[in-house]
Amino acid sequence: MEIAILYSTYINSASQIKNTAEAYFAQNKTHHSASILPITSGGRGFIDAMEAMPGTKTTRATTIARDRHSNPIETSYLISHDGKTACIECAKICGYDPGDNYCNPATTFTHGIGDVILDALSRNCRNFIIGIDGLATIDAGMGMLNALGYKMHNEAGNELQLYRGSEMLRVHSVTDSRNTALLKRCRFTIAHNDNAAFYAATGPAALYARQLGANEVTADILDNGLRNMASVYFHHNGRDVSYITAGGAGGAIAGAFASFFNAKLRPATSVLPGTAQISKAMNNANAIIIISHSITPTTISSPAFASLMATAKKSNAPIYHITTHIQNAPMLEAMDVRNITPTDDPATELVKLLDHIVPKLADE
């Protein structure tokens, strides 16, 4: 009998959940076994999931980067065992914090993402896996590009003084960086959890600006700014980001990566090195337990969760959910997401659930 336990590294107690599950099955190993694997949406906990995936060998590198308010912070990212690949979690650098009273997607910065990329380049990394979920910014990657050496100019030809969302409408042209040739030789894979378009009704300004601290007027300014940036990027790079699936992910930073560096935009669940392990574990499972930070109609329709559920349902095994936040349970049931247990203590609830389902599976 095999049980697949998939736990989100977004949860603060993720390591406790993993240790609890391992201890439980160590004590009951003669009767059943389990695959205990991390999952991620590409946001907070992204590099933790990379580290926790069995068989993955990485080291942590630390550097100084600018946060969402452009203040210097110490942050970390992963470097692969061969030293060629850097794995960066953008939420660690300029992620959204609901407790930040000064957070506004029009006045926050993505420079820190570029700072970390430069640090990785200096360590000879040429492949990049970058998780962009959970950002506090909507700036079409302006700050990130500026940190990498790109300069943006207004119609009069003067360089912008500030590189943030509120300035997008003023951009008229882009000057390449001295790092452009090197960056174009690098390989970028962007892990997202959002199929937002670059602008308009399904763009990040319309969908998320208010959640991130903007008012109606600011949201409209940001959307018009994104329309302008799409035109600027097209004239500079010859690629229309408005047609790129998920180009609006991460406050449209995904479109910038695709436009300037030909990045591949992929759902976060397909980016983990152990994607095949997760699929195999679910296919072979007699029961599947998914432990996540939040289950809402929005999260379950996101690319990461939808992909995970599609694979889980193919196994025909019963699926159980443990979550620290649930919203609109009737709609979730209508969307065929059932057996949900909300709790403030996922590790303890996991033991209770295992005590409940393991005997039932043994009797079948």
Side-chain angles (χ1 to χ4, degrees), residues 77-80 83-87 117-128 182 186-187:
Y77 62 97
L78 300 182
I79 297 178
S80 61
K84 297 178 180 179
T85 302
C87 178
I117 293 172
L118 284 177
D119 188 78
L121 287 172
S122 74
R123 301 176 196 243
N124 295 317
C125 294
R126 296 297 181 263
N127 302 324
F128 293 85
L182 172 60
C186 294
R187 184 168 59 196

Side-chain angles (χ1 to χ4, degrees), residues 138-331:
I138 298 177
D139 75 341
M142 284 175 59
M144 177 269 295
L145 290 169
N146 181 238
L148 292 174
Y150 292 84
K151 297 188 185 304
M152 299 189 183
H153 307 271
N154 61 22
E155 194 168 3
N158 299 317
E159 185 187 354
L160 297 187
Q161 296 301 303
L162 291 171
Y163 285 77
R164 61 187 190 186
S166 62
E167 305 298 303
M168 290 189 292
L169 271 172
R170 300 181 60 221
V171 181
H172 185 262
S173 62
V174 181
T175 300
D176 275 336
S177 164
R178 67 177 183 274
N179 297 310
T180 295
L182 172 60
L183 287 163
K184 287 188 175 181
R185 291 198 301 272
C186 294
R187 184 168 59 196
F188 288 86
T189 301
I190 307 303
H192 68 85
N193 189 32
D194 183 1
N195 280 331
F198 201 79
Y199 58 81
T202 56
L207 294 175
Y208 307 118
R210 295 160 191 82
Q211 299 174 28
L212 297 175
N215 58 29
E216 295 284 339
V217 173
T218 301
D220 287 342
I221 291 172
L222 287 170
D223 189 58
N224 287 327
L226 290 169
R227 290 174 184 270
N228 180 56
M229 296 305 291
S231 175
V232 171
Y233 289 175
F234 174 73
H235 284 98
H236 187 74
N237 297 311
R239 189 172 188 188
D240 190 347
V241 293
S242 62
Y243 288 98
I244 298 174
T245 301
I253 198 171
F257 275 113
S259 177
F260 282 79
F261 312 130
N262 198 31
K264 294 181 179 178
L265 312 184
R266 296 172 56 190
T269 47
S270 67
V271 169
L272 277 179
T275 298
Q277 288 177 261
I278 293 174
S279 297
K280 182 179 179 180
M282 287 193 285
N283 289 335
N284 295 335
N286 301 98
I288 298 170
I289 300 173
I290 300 174
I291 307 172
S292 59
H293 168 69
S294 176
I295 299 182
T296 71
T298 300
T299 58
I300 68 172
S301 61
S302 67
F305 203 97
S307 174
L308 187 70
M309 287 299 295
T311 304
K313 288 177 180 179
K314 287 179 183 178
S315 72
N316 293 318
I319 305 168
Y320 301 87
H321 297 271
I322 297 173
T323 183
T324 56
H325 174 68
I326 185 172
Q327 184 183 81
N328 203 334
M331 184 176 287

Side-chain angles (χ1 to χ4, degrees), residues 33-72:
S33 60
S35 295
I36 306 163
L37 298 167
I39 53 175
T40 178
S41 66
R44 198 179 82 183
F46 180 61
I47 62 174
D48 294 330
M50 288 284 189
E51 278 187 316
M53 186 59 66
T56 303
K57 295 181 179 180
T58 59
T59 57
R60 286 227 180 194
T62 59
T63 188
I64 301 298
R66 285 165 282 185
D67 69 6
R68 60 183 174 273
H69 296 302
S70 204
N71 298 316

